[in-house]
Each structure stands twice: as structure tokens, then as C-alpha cells.
Amino acid sequence: LRFSAEFSKLFNTAAYNTADRYRSDGITLSATLKSDIAVTKGDYPLSFIDDYRNYLTDRIKTEFSDDSGALMLGIFAGDELYYDIKAAGLAHLTALSGMHLTLIITILMALLSITGIAGTYRIRFILTVVLTLCFTAFFGFTASVVRSGIMIITANIGAVFYRKSDCVTSVGLAVLLITLFDPLSCTDA
């Protein structure tokens, strides 16, 4: 995104519904937009994921021009319909949850094990990490998917060291890792 803005010190955060989050993240400036926002195409290591998302979005728009296409765009791309669904209090019905990630990774690992591609624990772990990171990046690192991704990775890391994984330890480690980077995330249901 390319735009110009004027910055000023943020004195009153009462207008924001998450005022303490701004303070804890050290956000002390407010920006006032002074120009139009121009979208420029960037080149970065994971740009192929954005390109694929754009491709899928365009396909959905052309193949499903009715309400079902709008719902798919709302779920996959966070289109305008998603914000309407969220405002209506129904976002939990269309949210991409950590359960989806768990099911997809479990099915993919089973298929790879059956075909013999993921024969050893270490190869299976590497594939799990790569597939989990690709999935979370594709869906924009939503909170529930990131939590599930961390839990999947930590639950499978025991196999690398020939140890049995423990679900409670994985949940605890996921909470620890998430709250290290954002202490207020523990209040985010």
C-alpha cells in the first residue's frame, strides 16, 4: 500500500474499543490519511501465496456469481460479506477454525504415510510444519488457525526426539508462545 498521512500523538484512546491493546502494544501515534491509497504489487518470499489467493478469488467470482460465491469470498478472502456476517454476530458459523487445520493436516499425513512419502517421523514432522505454515499463511494467520498450528507443531515435535506427545503440554506451550508475543491474546476467545 502506498499513501501519505499526517501523524499526531495519540492522547485519548477512549474512542477505541480496545484501548488497552493500543497502550500495551506501544501505539502512541494516530494517522490522518492525506492521499488516496494505491495498491502496488510487491515481491516477497511468500508472494506466491497471495497470487494463488487472488487466482482463487477471481475463479470464485466468475464461477459463482450468486450468494454462494459471496459467502465463499467472505470465508476465504475476508470480503465485504464477512464484515456483514461479523456485524450480525454470526462470524463463528463461517470462521475457519483450528479444527479445519487439524483435520486437513491429519488427512494429508495419513495419505502421505499410506503412499510411503512420509515414512519416518522426521520427514513427517518436516512435512507437518511446512503444510501447517502454508495453511496458516494462505488463510491470513487468523488467531484460531495460528493457535492450532502451534499446537500441531508442538504436539508432533516429540516424534523427532522419539518421545510421545502430550496434548496438555502442547496446549500449554502454544499458550506460552502466543502470549510471549502478545500478552493480551489470552483474552481473545
Side-chain angles (χ1 to χ4, degrees):
L1 298 176
R2 183 169 293 171
F3 60 92
S4 60
E6 181 180 308
F7 291 96
S8 59
K9 184 135 175 103
L10 184 64
F11 290 106
N12 182 12
T13 58
Y16 302 103
N17 59 354
T18 55
D20 353 340
R21 185 171 187 105
Y22 284 97
R23 285 192 213 104
S24 69
D25 287 346
I27 298 173
T28 57
L29 294 176
S30 172
T32 305
L33 194 60
K34 295 294 181 187
S35 70
D36 290 334
I37 298 175
V39 179
T40 58
K41 184 166 175 61
D43 190 26
Y44 49 95
L46 296 178
S47 62
F48 68 94
I49 293 175
D50 284 338
D51 294 340
Y52 189 65
R53 277 180 72 136
N54 292 336
Y55 166 75
L56 284 180
T57 301
D58 292 340
R59 286 293 305 261
I60 289 171
K61 285 180 181 176
T62 57
E63 298 291 328
F64 303 97
S65 58
D66 57 353
D67 290 341
S68 63
L71 181 62
M72 282 190 268
L73 284 176
I75 293 170
F76 286 119
D79 208 11
E80 293 85 20
L81 180 64
Y82 172 76
Y83 298 108
D84 293 341
I85 292 171
K86 189 174 179 181
L90 300 172
H92 62 282
L93 297 176
T94 60
L96 192 70
S97 68
M99 181 185 69
H100 293 98
L101 173 61
T102 304
L103 287 173
I104 289 171
I105 294 296
T106 302
I107 291 169
L108 285 174
M109 285 297 109
L111 290 174
L112 291 175
S113 294
I114 289 170
T115 60
I117 295 173
T120 66
Y121 288 124
R122 292 186 177 157
I123 292 173
R124 196 173 303 138
F125 174 71
I126 291 169
L127 287 173
T128 301
V129 170
V130 169
L131 292 172
T132 302
L133 292 176
C134 288
F135 186 90
T136 55
F138 183 78
F139 288 103
F141 295 100
T142 61
S144 62
V145 174
V146 168
R147 282 190 294 262
S148 180
I150 291 173
M151 287 175 57
I152 288 170
I153 291 170
T154 56
N156 288 309
I157 202 166
V160 174
F161 301 105
Y162 301 106
R163 301 280 186 212
K164 187 177 177 185
S165 65
D166 177 26
C167 185
V168 175
T169 304
S170 298
V171 171
L173 188 57
V175 170
L176 176 67
L177 290 174
I178 291 170
T179 54
L180 280 176
F181 294 104
D182 184 9
L184 290 177
S185 64
C186 61
T187 63
D188 180 14

